[in-house]
Amino acid sequence: MPFTHHRTPERYVRQMRAVAALASKYQDMSDKELKSQTELFREQLAAGKSLDSLKIQAFAVAREADRRVLGMFPFDVQVLGDLVMQDGNVAEMQTGEGKTLTATLPMYLNGLTGSGNFLVTANEYLAYRDAQEMGKVYRWLGLTAVAGVPATGEDPHDRNLHKIYQADIVYTTNSTLGFDYLMDNLSGSADERFLQGFHFALLDEIDAVLLDSAQMPLVISGAPRVRSNLFEIADQVICLLREDIDFERSNDHKKVWFTPRGIDHMEEYLGLENLLGEHHRTLYRHLVLALKAHQTLTRDRDYVVDEDGVSLLDLSNGRKLAGMKLEAGLHQALEAKEAVPVSNQTRTMASITFQNLFRMFSHLSGMTGTAMTDAAELQETYRLSVISIPTNKPSQRIDLPDRLYNSTSEKLEHAVDLVKQAYHQGRPVLIETGSVSLSNLFSRILLREEIPHNLLNARSAAKEAGQLGAVTVATSMAGRGTDIKLGKGVKELGGLLVIGTERMNSARVDNQLRGRSGRQGAPGEAVFLVSIEDSILLEHGPNWLRRYRRRAAAYKRDHPGAGNPRIRMPFWGKHRFRHLITQAQHNAEKSDRQSRTQTLQYAEIMRVQRDTIYATRQQIMTVPTLDDQLASIFKMAARSFMQQHPQPTRSDMADYVLNTIDNHLVVANVIDHDWQPDRPKQTVPFLQKLMVDQLQKKFENINQDQQVYFERMCLLKSLDNAWIDQVDMLQQLRQIATSRSTAQHDPLLEYLKDGRKAFAEMKQAFAHQAVKNLLLSEFQFKADGSIDVTYP
């Protein structure tokens, strides 16, 4: 076969041929006969057949349905990608190969099982569009398919979540699914829950979700904290400090720390002593946050400032991350740095990373144009193998060698020359820049040269470039989720010219950009312009390169107007330079991998606790009676009291009973008659009996259903409040544990120990609050038979 590829296992080629062999069979069927195959497949599944046994037939049916409904018949190589994904792998399919249509086959097959199947795509627009367009096929075949995201302009809160998640197939985004998962586990009753389980997820641009966005946690925030005025004060102090004297940074500028001399200077500025002492702990934390905001985060690269305040940017594509904020006060420190109103710092109610969200699926797969470079990490973290799928037509794109320059200004001058040359030919050009600020700069240069163009970055709307004479300046966001179609006459000029003004930290991002040109066998050309002043070399280059830059800068100062420095470097050359760029990119990718691994390790600790809490919530909401749970909670609360008071006095007992069990009780008589202080082992059973008796007393005038409902609400309210405090505590503990790494401590081990201790304390706090809610709540009986409850 012409599409057989050395990276595509032969078994998939054989299966693809089997699907192709059924094409004539289903093509001869009437519409009614073809639609009836869905019910037939479902009957076979109900009889015990596996999805895998139906794969070949179901793919052939869906393929024919695509032809009849959409007028598009999936190519053999698209079927090949489907077979790879159905086996739980990542299909590396080049851009322009029709991944949207490809997804219909495995989505149909898995949709036969009912709800719990998701197509996760790049953004809400694509999710909604594809649910409407591709959904026609599923609905024609008898399945239900909906968009999990709102239409443009609609309020997300108006979605009917129960109806959405009961559908066989849901098109959604990773953020929407993650937030809905967290909200589902904050439901007050089983009837309010809407998710039907996680069976199958097919991730479009899977590397962007599981790698590029892996470290960005989804967070649901609750009530604001008390407003702190220390952010502005800390920011003013940090502006007085000097690098290499008061603070130092790592080579990649991702870590920063105070020097002992810097601590002394801050104590002098603030007029205090022992800044590192417990008394000034909160102030010091704000100073650390301010230092990070100034030295590790760069405006128009990591974030933008506009009418919405400070908005984070997705480093993989340059888009604004709507609603996302940095955690643990860092976002507020960033706002203080930029002199915009400091927002309220809220408590974290629930949090999850995309890594942990998608590891919950029993069947996970995906597709992307670039995954092979990170195949090892996908295998290690998610147990996903990457398999390359050949293109339907041979690629005609020409990838030119990098062009090398000594300075950014020289590089930009040559980039403009390339654009002018292509523009005068009428050839469309896409120019990629590494940041919003550089895209704006390049745009101004083109305006000066009187070259009309579109600007595509986090601040502007997308306008595609593929028509004659079109010039588009873009951040790396042009690499994903955009569809550049060539206009008439463009092929004859050589297709789209892609110019990268610098190499990105990940080779995958570079390859995504190259992939905008030469789609579906069309001609195209891609070239990267790089200089020794590029950020990737500044952050990840070797030390000798820094010395060379310093010598070059000194030469320019001493010889103004002399042009490029003529410093002879015996080991310097084009081959060496290309190797240098490649090595720097490898270093950046290695650093990012380590960071993602660390994030996963920290998130795993929270995951274990979160799963425990969510399982407990589910049990509380679904068990017929809560007698066993109440007995366990009463015992835990009584034991917690004994841990705090190993030899309780009469005063200790009286205080606990009045404030936890019954504030109307005649404590003196009960304690004097039924409790013996010289027998502390009897204290726990004594307190448990008091709790049971008080609960029975409260339920004298209410029916069984009201009793169970009240118990559920008390336990859920107590559990949720305790978990909110715990999530917030874990966020703070991670910040503290990370800072300990400079003191020869293993931060992960410290976080694990502190997290376990905090979880044990949280369980005790939950039991204590649950007892108070159960026993000290006041009932107000209404004429209609309902009851109002006032919690303590």
Side-chain angles (χ1 to χ4, degrees):
M1 300 288 287
F3 39 75
T4 301
H5 195 274
H6 71 283
R7 289 181 177 174
T8 306
E10 181 62 29
R11 68 179 182 278
Y12 294 123
V13 176
R14 291 196 301 268
Q15 292 173 10
M16 179 204 64
R17 290 169 177 159
V19 174
L22 292 175
S24 58
K25 171 185 175 182
Y26 292 112
Q27 189 173 353
D28 291 339
M29 286 186 177
S30 66
D31 286 355
K32 182 178 180 180
E33 289 174 324
L34 190 63
K35 291 177 181 180
S36 69
Q37 299 305 303
T38 297
E39 189 58 37
L40 177 63
F41 291 148
R42 283 186 154 171
E43 289 174 358
Q44 292 175 319
L45 288 173
K49 280 200 170 186
S50 66
L51 273 183
D52 193 62
S53 66
L54 301 177
K55 176 171 58 180
I56 304 300
Q57 294 170 288
F59 279 10
V61 167
R63 197 184 190 197
E64 175 61 22
D66 284 338
R67 186 183 66 81
R68 298 189 188 188
V69 178
L70 303 175
M72 296 184 288
F73 192 67
F75 299 124
D76 286 347
V77 289
Q78 291 174 302
V79 176
L80 198 61
D82 291 324
L83 293 163
V84 165
M85 289 188 287
Q86 185 57 32
D87 262 8
N89 302 307
V90 176
E92 185 181 66
M93 302 177 66
Q94 299 303 310
T95 54
E97 290 298 301
K99 291 192 285 291
T100 302
L101 180 65
T102 300
T104 57
L105 275 61
M107 291 310 302
Y108 169 70
L109 173 64
N110 288 276
L112 295 170
T113 63
S115 56
N117 305 292
F118 302 90
L119 189 290
V120 181
T121 191
N123 56 57
E124 291 189 359
Y125 166 76
L126 291 176
Y128 190 84
R129 182 201 69 182
D130 293 348
Q132 302 308 309
E133 293 301 315
M134 301 298 115
K136 296 175 184 176
V137 176
Y138 311 125
R139 291 186 284 271
W140 190 85
L141 285 168
L143 301 184
T144 53
V146 299
V149 300
T152 303
E154 291 185 358
D155 190 337
H157 297 96
D158 292 338
R159 294 176 300 150
N160 186 335
L161 295 177
H162 285 88
K163 182 178 180 180
I164 287 173
Y165 288 104
Q166 284 172 358
D168 300 320
I169 298 167
V170 178
Y171 276 69
T172 187
T173 66
N174 46 324
S175 296
T176 300
L177 183 60
F179 281 125
D180 285 349
Y181 168 75
L182 294 176
M183 292 302 299
D184 187 59
N185 283 284
L186 291 174
S187 302
S189 66
D191 293 338
E192 294 177 14
R193 302 199 66 178
F194 45 82
L195 282 176
Q196 306 293 316
F198 288 158
H199 168 231
F200 175 67
L202 194 161
L203 276 59
D204 188 13
E205 305 294 1
I206 188 171
D207 54 330
V209 176
L210 297 186
L211 300 179
D212 297 333
S213 301
Q215 297 179 78
M216 183 64 69
L218 297 173
V219 175
I220 293 180
S221 299
R225 297 175 181 273
V226 176
R227 174 76 165 80
S228 171
N229 61 356
L230 293 177
F231 289 110
E232 292 89 347
I233 296 173
D235 187 76
Q236 294 170 12
V237 172
I238 293 304
C239 290
L240 300 173
L241 303 184
R242 296 161 295 175
E243 187 172 0
D244 296 329
I245 297 176
D246 300 308
F247 65 87
E248 296 176 350
R249 288 191 295 179
S250 60
N251 290 337
D252 60 6
H253 291 188
K254 292 184 179 180
K255 296 179 181 178
V256 61
W257 56 91
F258 293 117
T259 64
R261 191 172 176 183
I263 299 293
D264 294 338
H265 284 164
M266 288 190 294
E267 290 177 343
E268 181 181 347
Y269 296 149
L270 294 166
L272 50 81
E273 296 180 354
N274 193 18
L275 178 59
L276 299 181
E278 184 66 26
H279 182 67
H280 298 301
R281 180 177 181 179
T282 301
L283 173 59
Y284 181 71
R285 186 172 69 86
H286 281 76
L287 291 167
V288 171
L289 292 172
L291 183 66
K292 288 182 177 180
H294 275 271
Q295 301 300 328
T296 66
L297 297 167
T298 304
R299 181 169 176 166
D300 289 338
R301 186 192 69 180
D302 301 294
Y303 64 93
V304 293
V305 181
D306 52 23
E307 65 277 2
D308 298 325
V310 174
S311 299
L312 301 179
L313 294 179
D314 187 334
L315 296 183
S316 67
N317 57 35
R319 290 187 172 94
K320 287 169 61 173
L321 293 168
M324 294 285 191
K325 287 191 174 184
L326 296 167
E327 299 175 88
L330 186 54
H331 201 90
Q332 286 69 27
L334 204 56
E335 291 169 331
K337 167 191 172 183
E338 296 296 341
V340 302
V342 177
S343 60
N344 287 327
Q345 187 181 356
T346 55
R347 299 168 69 204
T348 300
M349 297 177 62
S351 176
I352 192 170
T353 62
F354 292 131
Q355 290 170 318
N356 279 328
L357 175 67
F358 289 107
R359 279 154 60 101
M360 289 190 291
F361 278 87
S362 57
H363 189 179
L364 180 65
S365 66
M367 50 189 173
T368 181
T370 49
M372 197 59 72
T373 53
D374 291 281
E377 184 177 358
L378 288 168
Q379 176 63 51
E380 180 181 350
T381 305
Y382 304 100
R383 298 181 181 177
L384 293 169
S385 298
V386 178
I387 298 177
S388 180
I389 307 299
T391 56
N392 184 53
K393 297 179 181 178
S395 175
Q396 297 186 47
R397 186 184 72 237
I398 300 173
D399 292 332
L400 299 173
D402 292 351
R403 297 194 180 184
L404 319 172
Y405 304 94
N406 275 324
S407 67
T408 300
S409 58
E410 182 185 355
K411 177 181 68 174
L412 293 181
E413 288 175 8
H414 283 78
V416 172
D417 290 341
L418 284 176
V419 173
K420 290 169 66 176
Q421 180 182 354
Y423 174 70
H424 291 311
Q425 294 174 347
R427 185 181 188 184
V429 184
L430 173 65
I431 307 105
E432 175 267 351
T433 60
S435 66
V436 175
S437 57
L438 190 55
S439 70
N440 291 330
L441 171 62
F442 207 91
S443 176
R444 289 195 294 270
I445 295 174
L446 292 180
L447 288 175
R448 184 193 67 192
E449 298 293 330
E450 299 182 348
I451 297 178
H453 60 279
N454 295 320
L455 180 62
L456 176 58
N457 60 30
R459 298 180 186 274
S460 60
K463 294 182 180 180
E464 307 303 354
Q467 306 304 309
L468 279 171
V471 176
T472 302
V473 181
T475 57
S476 56
M477 67 188 300
R480 295 187 190 269
T482 56
D483 187 17
I484 299 177
K485 297 180 179 179
L486 300 185
K488 187 176 180 180
V490 171
K491 291 183 179 180
E492 289 74 16
L493 295 173
L496 177 68
L497 171 62
V498 172
I499 302 174
T501 60
E502 62 182 292
R503 295 281 290 273
M504 307 303 291
N505 279 10
S506 171
R508 286 184 295 104
V509 179
D510 292 345
N511 291 335
Q512 283 283 349
L513 184 69
R514 291 189 181 100
R516 308 325 299 168
S517 179
R519 296 159 63 89
Q520 278 289 348
E525 202 169 20
V527 62
F528 279 84
L529 313 183
V530 292
S531 82
I532 62 171
E533 295 178 346
D534 287 351
S535 60
I536 189 170
L537 291 179
L538 288 173
E539 297 176 2
H540 301 283
N543 290 329
W544 63 259
L545 184 59
R546 296 184 181 87
R547 294 193 296 270
Y548 172 80
R549 277 194 295 264
R550 285 196 295 268
R551 292 168 61 189
Y555 184 90
K556 286 182 179 180
R557 287 195 304 269
D558 297 339
H559 301 81
N564 293 327
R566 301 174 182 276
I567 300 175
R568 184 168 182 79
M569 306 290 285
F571 44 79
W572 188 263
K574 290 187 176 181
H575 175 74
R576 175 76 176 187
F577 188 82
R578 290 196 184 96
H579 174 74
L580 187 64
I581 288 283
T582 302
Q583 188 59 49
Q585 200 165 56
H586 287 168
N587 292 341
E589 291 171 340
K590 181 180 179 181
S591 175
D592 289 342
R593 280 196 299 272
Q594 291 173 341
S595 182
R596 287 192 291 266
T597 299
Q598 185 183 62
T599 297
L600 181 62
Q601 291 171 332
Y602 280 104
E604 186 68 12
I605 296 170
M606 179 181 278
R607 182 197 65 80
V608 173
Q609 297 187 12
R610 181 177 55 244
D611 288 353
T612 301
I613 294 298
Y614 286 176
T616 302
R617 283 190 103 258
Q618 179 69 6
Q619 186 181 54
I620 291 172
M621 287 190 294
T622 55
V623 293
T625 66
L626 291 163
D627 294 345
D628 292 341
Q629 287 75 14
L630 293 177
S632 176
I633 287 169
F634 289 162
K635 187 175 184 179
M636 187 186 304
R639 285 182 170 178
S640 177
F641 169 77
M642 283 300 296
Q643 288 179 8
Q644 299 171 23
H645 305 87
Q647 297 291 332
T649 64
R650 184 179 182 279
S651 175
D652 294 331
M653 287 291 292
D655 182 70
Y656 182 76
V657 171
L658 279 172
N659 289 292
T660 309
I661 300 176
D662 188 355
N663 49 19
H664 301 297
L665 187 69
V666 181
V667 178
N669 293 336
V670 173
I671 294 178
D672 289 343
H673 287 88
D674 301 330
W675 179 65
Q676 300 178 22
D678 58 338
R679 301 180 64 183
K681 290 184 179 180
Q682 298 300 316
T683 300
V684 170
F686 170 74
L687 291 175
Q688 287 180 262
K689 185 175 185 305
L690 280 183
M691 295 173 188
V692 171
D693 292 345
Q694 174 64 7
L695 190 61
Q696 290 177 346
K697 181 180 176 182
K698 289 187 78 70
F699 291 156
E700 288 177 353
N701 298 316
I702 65 175
N703 61 45
Q704 181 69 21
D705 290 340
Q706 291 173 324
Q707 173 183 329
V708 173
Y709 181 80
F710 169 71
E711 291 172 345
R712 290 196 206 282
M713 290 303 100
C714 285
L715 296 191
L716 289 176
K717 180 180 177 67
S718 305
L719 184 63
D720 288 344
N721 287 337
W723 177 237
I724 288 171
D725 288 340
Q726 175 66 2
V727 171
D728 203 52
M729 172 67 74
L730 289 173
Q731 302 284 3
Q732 303 300 323
L733 286 177
R734 179 169 178 181
Q735 292 286 334
I736 296 170
T738 303
S739 66
R740 289 179 183 172
S741 61
T742 58
Q744 304 304 314
H745 289 274
D746 181 348
L748 184 64
L749 181 59
E750 295 292 325
Y751 179 71
L752 175 62
K753 292 191 297 186
D754 291 345
R756 283 178 174 173
K757 180 181 177 182
F759 192 66
E761 294 173 351
M762 184 220 74
K763 289 193 290 186
Q764 293 181 347
F766 157 62
H768 179 72
Q769 188 60 47
V771 172
K772 289 184 67 173
N773 286 342
L774 285 163
L775 305 183
L776 298 185
S777 295
E778 298 288 343
F779 292 163
Q780 294 180 354
F781 297 92
K782 304 177 73 174
D784 61 0
S786 62
I787 303 173
D788 285 343
V789 179
T790 303
Y791 293 99

